[in-house]
Amino acid sequence: GTEPAKAVGTVEITEPIISITATISFGIFIGFESFLWPIVIPVLIGGIILSPLAAYLTKRIPAKALGILVGAWVTFLSLRMIVPQWFPF
């Protein structure tokens, strides 16, 4: 019964905080030297930059259209995992 904009907005607000906290925690427990920094840095930066954009877009997109987009994206990702030969990328 929650509005999609509120649900996505809540997730998007916490995403950068969780990303930074997870990076620090893993760094402490497994060592920062074992990180693949060319992967970690873009993920952190992307999360910080794209979170406000995602929250803004969910506020602008109608709830029904947002539900259809999210459903289509989840279906695509699931099919890609189930039948990888259909997707060459």
Side-chain angles (χ1 to χ4, degrees):
T2 304
E3 294 178 31
K6 287 183 181 178
V8 174
T10 302
V11 170
E12 294 304 328
I13 286 173
T14 61
E15 185 180 353
I17 298 166
I18 291 171
S19 296
I20 293 168
T21 305
T23 302
I24 293 169
S25 298
F26 281 116
I28 290 170
F29 288 112
I30 65 171
F32 289 102
E33 66 279 352
S34 63
F35 279 7
L36 298 173
W37 288 108
I39 295 172
V40 173
I41 296 296
V43 168
L44 286 173
I45 293 171
I48 291 168
I49 292 172
L50 294 178
S51 289
L53 177 63
Y56 174 77
L57 288 175
T58 56
K59 186 176 174 183
R60 294 287 191 187
I61 298 173
K64 187 173 182 176
L66 184 61
I68 292 169
L69 287 171
V70 170
W73 185 246
V74 169
T75 302
F76 170 74
L77 291 176
S78 298
L79 281 173
R80 191 168 165 242
M81 296 299 292
I82 294 169
V83 193
Q85 64 268 23
W86 290 356
F87 303 94
F89 45 90

